[in-house]
Amino acid sequence: MWQEIAKYGRKLVEHGLVESNFGNISSRAGDRMLITRTGAALDEITENNVVEVDVWDTSSLDIIASSETVVHREIYRQTSALAIIHAHAPYAVVESLLAGPEGRISPVDSEGQYFLGEIPVVGGGIGSCELAGNLANALSRHRGAIVYSHGTFAIGRTLGDAYIVTTQLEHSCKVKYLYERAKTERESK
């Protein structure tokens, strides 16, 4: 399974959805999850950059696992997700800043409207219990959400599903940003 995590780590970096040492990826199997290590370069993942921890209880390995392990754990506990991708997609971060914490982003593109609907923006500190609860709550009703000023979290039955949601979130935020900027420029002329 670490090979699948490595595959999507490379794709995230190659497509500008995350800088190499930021973001994290996990996959659930029963009561266990594999998650990237803290500080791991997502485009250089090896077997040693992935940690296996329990979904229900904390572990001594949590200290080397991603700083967002508590968040992934809570999402797995409260949703049917089997895969999670957390990226720092730039347009999604910008749109979250414009929407504000606890805001909503309404896609203007037809794909975003159809596949995502309203995109929730949630608050909470990086790796905090508050963020874990807020994201798990949002992802129990949506396939993707954006952490205010931080980045996207996407869930799926597979890493491929979560990756598609990640790309959809960023695409819809990019289209919305560019559309609103062009509209403002046109109106100011």
Side-chain angles (χ1 to χ4, degrees):
M1 181 50 86
W2 73 266
Q3 293 94 335
E4 276 292 289
I5 291 173
K7 171 185 168 181
Y8 287 100
R10 282 189 303 275
K11 288 175 73 117
L12 288 168
V13 174
E14 286 169 7
H15 293 102
L17 297 167
V18 65
E19 295 300 319
S20 183
N21 289 73
F22 296 103
N24 39 70
I25 302 170
S26 72
S27 183
R28 180 178 182 170
D31 290 335
R32 311 288 293 164
M33 73 168 151
L34 289 175
I35 189 165
T36 50
R37 288 178 72 129
T38 188
L42 293 187
D43 56 347
E44 299 175 0
I45 292 174
T46 66
E47 189 173 8
N48 294 329
N49 299 116
V50 178
V51 180
E52 184 175 332
V53 296
D54 194 276
V55 169
W56 302 103
D57 295 311
T58 58
S59 160
S60 61
L61 294 177
D62 285 3
I63 196 153
I64 62 170
S66 168
S67 59
E68 300 281 12
T69 298
V70 66
V71 176
H72 287 247
R73 196 175 265 136
E74 192 63 22
I75 293 167
Y76 286 131
R77 289 175 181 168
Q78 292 192 35
T79 73
S80 61
L82 295 176
I84 301 169
I85 291 180
H86 166 47
H88 293 192
Y91 283 94
V93 171
V94 168
E95 284 297 320
S96 79
L97 291 166
L98 295 170
E102 301 169 32
R104 299 256 179 226
I105 298 169
S106 297
V108 296
D109 63 305
S110 58
E111 292 84 4
Q113 293 167 1
Y114 182 78
F115 290 109
L116 299 171
E118 277 197 331
I119 304 165
V121 178
V122 301
I126 296 170
S128 70
C129 290
E130 176 191 12
L131 178 58
N134 290 343
L135 267 171
N137 182 42
L139 293 172
S140 68
R141 297 181 312 279
H142 300 271
R143 297 183 311 149
I146 305 171
V147 177
Y148 176 74
S149 83
H150 184 58
T152 60
F153 273 81
I155 61 173
R157 305 290 296 159
T158 66
L159 287 171
D161 292 343
Y163 178 77
I164 289 168
V165 173
T166 300
T167 62
Q168 289 176 329
L169 288 165
E170 178 66 352
H171 178 77
S172 288
C173 287
K174 182 177 182 178
V175 169
K176 182 175 177 61
Y177 176 83
L178 294 172
Y179 167 74
E180 290 177 349
R181 183 173 174 189
K183 185 177 174 184
T184 300
E185 287 177 9
R186 181 188 298 167
E187 290 170 355
S188 68
K189 291 182 180 178

